[in-house]
Amino acid sequence: MISKEILQDLLMLDDSAGGMPDAQLLRDYLTSGMPHGEPICMSLGGTWDRIAPGLAEFLSDTPKSAHGYQLSLHGLPRLRTALAEHLRSVHRIPDSAARGRDWDVAVAWTGTRSAMFDFGRLVKDRCQRPGRRPVVLIAGPAWDYAGVFSPLGYQIRYLPLRSTEGFLPNAAELDRIVAQIDADPAAQLALVVVNAQHNPTAVNWSSGFVAQMLAVAGCAGAGVLIDDAYFNVHDEGVKPTSALKMMIEAGSLGFGAPWLAVQSMGKQFGSSGWGIGSLIASVETLDALVHTYRLHHTLMSSGMLQHAMADWLQSPDCAHFLARQRVQLTETRATAEAQFVKRLGYPGSAVHVGECTPYIVVDVPPAYAESEDTAHEFRTRCFERTGVLTAPIWPWPMPKPEAAQPPQLRLYLGSGISGVREAVRRMADAGLVYSAVRSSEVRE
Ligand SMILES: Cc1ncc(COP(=O)(O)O)c(C=O)c1O
C-alpha cells in the first residue's frame, strides 16, 4: 500500500510524472481523495517504504569523499570487493574461478538497464557480420528488453513461454527458432538473453535449459546477456539456477563472444531507486564496457550509495535480511494463490505462482479476456473500483508482440500478506471475481 504522504511527495507539485501510465492514475486517485483507501500497487515491481532498514542506516555514515566524483570507472573499490564476495557466496562460484582472471565485477550506479544498452552496442560493434540484421533472442513474455535493444537496431525474436506449459522454456522450440534464424541469409543471432529467475513468470529455469542457451550462443558466436535481477529473490527451499556460474565456467573453457551478467541490488534490498548493481564479465569485456561505452554518457557518481551498499553487503544483517525476505515471500505467494482461488473463484489453472521473483501471473477473467482492449478495461475498472493497480504480463513501456497468448496480469507481491488480502477483499467486494460479467456500462 502506498501512503498519502508518499504519493504527495512523488507525484504532486508538478505533472512531469504523467509519462508513466500508473503515475497519472495514482495522481487522479489522490486528487479524488483516495476513495477506496491507500492504493495497492501490484503493477510496478517496486516499493517506497521497504528498503532494508540496515542498508538505509548506513547512508548516514558515509565519508566526505563519497560526495565527490569517484576515481574509478569500475566503481568504488571497496564496493567491488564486497560485490565480488557477495556474488561468490550466493552463486557458489568456486575458488578455482579467479576474480581478475576468469571474471571481474564493476559497479552499476545508473541501473543495470543502461549497462544492458551499452553491452548491446559493444556486441554489435564486435559481432555483427556485414549485411546481416542482428537478432536478439529473448524468452517471452519478458521484461522490456525490447525497449533496450530495438533502438540499437536489433530485431527481437521471442521464444514463447506458455502458461499452458507452466511457462517452462522449451528446448526443442529453442533449437527450431535458432535454426530458422540461421537459415535466413539476411539475419544473424547476435545476442541471447538469459533471465533464469524469470520476470514475469516466476519460473526458475533449469540448469539444463540455461546450458542449452549458452550452447546455442556459443555455436552462433553470439553474445550473452545474463540478467540476474531476481537471483536472490525466491521462495524458501528453492535453489536458484546460477547462469552466472555456468557462464564463468563456459568462459574459462573458451567461450568466444562477449558476455555480461548484471545483477541489480535494488530488487533484493528494496532500493530500486539507488540504481546500484553489479556488472560481471571477462576482464577484457568489462574494461571495454566501463572505459569506453559507459564513459560515453556517465561520470563516476553516487559515491555515498556505493559506500553504504559496501557496508551493508559486508554486515551479517544482510544475509539475515535476505533469509527473512524469503520466508515472507513464500508466505505471501501462498496467500495470493489461496485468496485468488477461494475468494475470487479462480480455478487453480488460472493462477500461476512460480517460485521465484516477487510476481505471480493470473488470467484475466474470461469476460474480459477477449482482447488487449478488454483486458485494459478490466485493469481500469479494477483500479477505479478498488484502488488496486495491476499490470499486463507484457509490461510497460513496450506493447506486447502480435502473436502473444490471451491477456494475463502480472501481480507484484511487494505489499506482503496484508496488502494481498486487502487487494483481494476489495476486488471481491467490487464483484471483480473470475466469473465477473462485463457490464454494458463498462463497454461504453
Ligand atoms: C528483469 C529485470 N531486469 C532488470 C531490471 C532493472 O533493474 P535496476 O534498474 O534495478 O538495475 C528490472 C527492473 O524492474 C527487471 O525487472
Side-chain angles (χ1 to χ4, degrees), residues 132-153:
R132 303 261 185 160
R133 193 174 64 245
V135 178
V136 54
L137 182 63
I138 301 166
W143 185 67
D144 176 42
Y145 302 102
V148 176
F149 296 114
S150 304
L152 291 172

Side-chain angles (χ1 to χ4, degrees), residues 28 151 229 236 246 261 269 280 315 319 352 363 372 376 407:
D28 295 347
E236 272 192 299
M246 294 169 71
F269 300 133
I280 308 113
S315 86
H352 316 276
D363 293 358
E372 277 308 308
H376 179 73

Side-chain angles (χ1 to χ4, degrees), residues 267-425:
K267 313 301 162 204
Q268 60 195 63
F269 300 133
S271 59
S272 289
W274 288 30
I276 299 286
S278 48
L279 312 177
I280 308 113
S282 72
V283 177
E284 188 279 324
T285 302
L286 202 59
D287 279 353
L289 192 71
V290 304
H291 288 146
T292 305
Y293 294 87
R294 311 262 315 132
L295 186 56
H296 290 158
H297 54 76
T298 302
L299 291 175
M300 302 79 75
S301 54
S302 302
M304 54 292 181
L305 302 179
Q306 297 189 52
H307 266 278
M309 186 61 80
D311 287 340
W312 169 244
L313 287 173
Q314 288 178 326
S315 86
D317 290 351
C318 173
H320 297 151
F321 174 85
L322 287 173
R324 262 196 315 277
Q325 184 164 263
R326 280 196 285 278
V327 175
Q328 279 164 6
L329 181 59
T330 312
E331 290 170 359
T332 308
R333 199 187 306 276
T335 301
E337 181 174 27
Q339 292 276 302
F340 268 77
V341 171
K342 286 194 199 130
R343 293 207 64 182
L344 298 179
Y346 272 63
S349 59
V351 187
H352 316 276
V353 287
E355 57 183 5
C356 57
T357 80
Y359 305 111
I360 63 166
V361 172
V362 298
D363 293 358
V364 170
Y368 289 88
E370 202 177 288
S371 66
E372 277 308 308
D373 288 344
T374 54
H376 179 73
E377 224 172 75
F378 178 78
R379 292 198 310 276
T380 309
R381 211 41 86 213
C382 182
F383 187 59
E384 281 170 6
R385 292 184 186 169
T386 66
V388 177
L389 267 176
T390 59
I393 190 169
W394 287 88
W396 178 86
M398 290 299 275
K400 84 172 195 168
E402 281 307 310
Q405 56 191 349
Q408 290 171 315
L409 305 176
R410 186 193 76 171
L411 302 180
Y412 174 58
L413 302 175
S415 60
I417 291 180
S418 57
V420 167
R421 280 184 184 279
E422 173 65 8
V424 167
R425 184 196 64 75

Side-chain angles (χ1 to χ4, degrees), residues 116-357:
M116 295 180 199
F117 187 76
D118 291 333
F119 184 62
R121 293 193 295 139
L122 179 149
V123 168
K124 266 193 87 184
D125 288 349
R126 293 188 177 189
C127 303
Q128 189 172 6
R129 298 209 291 274
R132 303 261 185 160
R133 193 174 64 245
V135 178
V136 54
L137 182 63
I138 301 166
W143 185 67
D144 176 42
Y145 302 102
V148 176
F149 296 114
S150 304
L152 291 172
Y154 284 88
Q155 181 192 342
I156 313 296
R157 189 71 202 262
Y158 286 109
L159 169 71
L161 303 171
R162 302 179 185 88
S163 53
T164 47
E165 295 163 8
F167 287 121
L168 291 174
N170 182 312
E173 205 160 4
L174 173 65
D175 281 341
R176 253 196 319 279
I177 290 173
V178 171
Q180 282 167 5
I181 300 170
D182 219 30
D184 180 350
Q188 172 206 350
L189 182 61
L191 187 57
V192 171
V193 176
V194 180
N195 177 217
Q197 287 70 45
H198 189 253
N199 174 9
T201 65
V203 171
N204 181 33
W205 291 355
S206 71
S207 55
F209 182 73
V210 171
Q212 197 194 347
M213 285 201 106
L214 302 188
V216 299
C219 284
V224 174
L225 170 69
I226 293 171
D227 181 6
D228 279 342
Y230 294 100
F231 184 81
N232 269 335
V233 185
H234 56 82
D235 288 3
E236 272 192 299
V238 172
K239 185 168 171 241
T241 300
S242 174
L244 169 63
K245 183 176 165 201
M246 294 169 71
M247 187 69 247
I248 290 174
E249 280 161 7
S252 63
L253 294 176
F255 188 88
W259 60 270
L260 174 73
V262 299
Q263 186 166 337
S264 165
M265 292 293 116
K267 313 301 162 204
Q268 60 195 63
F269 300 133
S271 59
S272 289
W274 288 30
I276 299 286
S278 48
L279 312 177
I280 308 113
S282 72
V283 177
E284 188 279 324
T285 302
L286 202 59
D287 279 353
L289 192 71
V290 304
H291 288 146
T292 305
Y293 294 87
R294 311 262 315 132
L295 186 56
H296 290 158
H297 54 76
T298 302
L299 291 175
M300 302 79 75
S301 54
S302 302
M304 54 292 181
L305 302 179
Q306 297 189 52
H307 266 278
M309 186 61 80
D311 287 340
W312 169 244
L313 287 173
Q314 288 178 326
S315 86
D317 290 351
C318 173
H320 297 151
F321 174 85
L322 287 173
R324 262 196 315 277
Q325 184 164 263
R326 280 196 285 278
V327 175
Q328 279 164 6
L329 181 59
T330 312
E331 290 170 359
T332 308
R333 199 187 306 276
T335 301
E337 181 174 27
Q339 292 276 302
F340 268 77
V341 171
K342 286 194 199 130
R343 293 207 64 182
L344 298 179
Y346 272 63
S349 59
V351 187
H352 316 276
V353 287
E355 57 183 5
C356 57
T357 80

